[in-house]
Amino acid sequence: MMQSGTNIQMNDARTGRCERHRTGNCVRRLGPVASGCVWLSLVCGCATPEPREPMPFADAGAFSSTGTLPLDARWWQAFEDPDLDTRVDQALRRNFTLAEAWERLRAAAAVVDVERSALFPRIDGVGSGSVREGRDIDRETELRLGLEASYELDLWGRIRAAVEADRFRAAASAEDLQAAAISVSAEVTLTWYELAESLLQLELIASQLETNQKVLAVLEQRFAVGQGGSADVLRQRQLVEATREQAVVVRAQAAVLQNRLAVLGGRPPQGATAARPASLPRIPDWPDTGLPAELLERRPDVRAALLRLEATDRDVAEAVRDQYPRIDLVAVLETVGENPAGLFDDWLAALTARLVAPLYDGGQREAEIERRVALRRASLAQYGQAVLAAFREVEDALAQESLQVERIERLREQQRLAASTYEQLRGQYLNGVADFLEVLISLREQQQLERDVLAAELDRLRFRVALYRALAGGFELPESAAGSIQTEPGLEGRSTR
């Protein structure tokens, strides 16, 4: 599926050196006049594009760390969450971004058909009728009916190069579809577990609110018997209201996530069934990252960049071959009559061959070659950037998750210490040794750390999803709302891999 760097570097053979060997073989088959025109056009118009630069990062080193678990193409199943599997499958069937990608693939396949049609003769039916009449001319009627066929001999492979270029672009569109599917599955997974974290935060906040209200009741009792100050009661009431306000913020976030899930699944958010993920999943061991070369063969966005680079190489070949002579054949089979009854009595057949040899165009063709060579270099730079981005995404996810595990351990330790501190200060306050402000600060810190631990666990999950997404390759797609795509021969498997 993936073209190797060695196979890509075909430009010298295809477009360099003006293809003199292939040209010479073809010219020997032409007559002397045509041969003279051919060589004249080559002398006047031949341009040799620069040789192809070597492929970037062909010898990239191994990743900084790796796991041992094999990476499944349907990577989200590693979380062992049937509800998530259902959500992702629904999105892959009904998401409109994927439906758009399907249709772009269909359009790209149709472009290949359009270009390939130039390899075959074009046959048109023609008919005409005319009436002439004047003072000195008797009325004359003429009816014509016939067939016209035209065909360009693809002597140098110019048309075939154009077809190949569009085939590569169609294959790149298939890879774009795979990349879009990976993005949709990752977005559904993240949204699903962000919603799970929000619901867990609401449960935690409800528990904290209950604790804060109990503390408030104790303070109000102490104040009623003259053992506490009114400021302590007011501070605790403020904490209760702040906790309720935090619950409002999280409920709004959960509502937004519910709406996002509905839209990702191709449904309107109005009246969508509320999703209730149970909890955050257990994060499995790290997957095997494999070698960088394997990653480049697996990632659809990198493959798409490589296929577009191949397409620009064929574009250069087409531009170079456009400098060579062209032979057009036109065949006509026609009948003429004065009335319908005698229309088929006389038939006329004609075959015309026309040689078009470019001699002078003000530098247009040479400029077009330079433009396409520049576009090829740009595509090579885009491919190099795609490779670097793929490597960076893997390394970022590895570094972030490994350090996030350490961060969660530190947060849990802080949470344990904060809980101990609160219990000690609470006891000292009830015994009249400590000030309530210290108790309040300690309680706030403990509750904030509880929420921070939940958020940190979600962040670790985000980093794992980012790693799966960075390592993911194509997978079989269900039939979307756009319908199945019939790809060109040679592209089978790309759109539904």
Side-chain angles (χ1 to χ4, degrees), residues 438-473:
E438 296 179 358
V439 179
L440 180 64
I441 293 173
S442 177
L443 180 59
R444 283 179 177 272
E445 290 178 348
Q446 177 192 349
Q447 293 181 347
Q448 183 60 51
L449 283 168
E450 289 174 344
R451 296 196 289 267
D452 288 346
V453 168
L454 263 180
E457 289 176 346
L458 176 62
D459 285 340
R460 184 192 174 189
L461 181 64
R462 286 194 181 104
F463 299 145
R464 173 54 64 88
V465 171
L467 179 60
Y468 284 143
R469 183 175 181 174
L471 295 173

Side-chain angles (χ1 to χ4, degrees), residues 204-219:
L204 177 59
I205 291 172
S207 175
Q208 292 176 348
L209 179 60
E210 183 180 357
T211 298
N212 294 339
Q213 288 173 331
K214 290 179 179 179
V215 173
L216 177 60
V218 172
L219 290 175

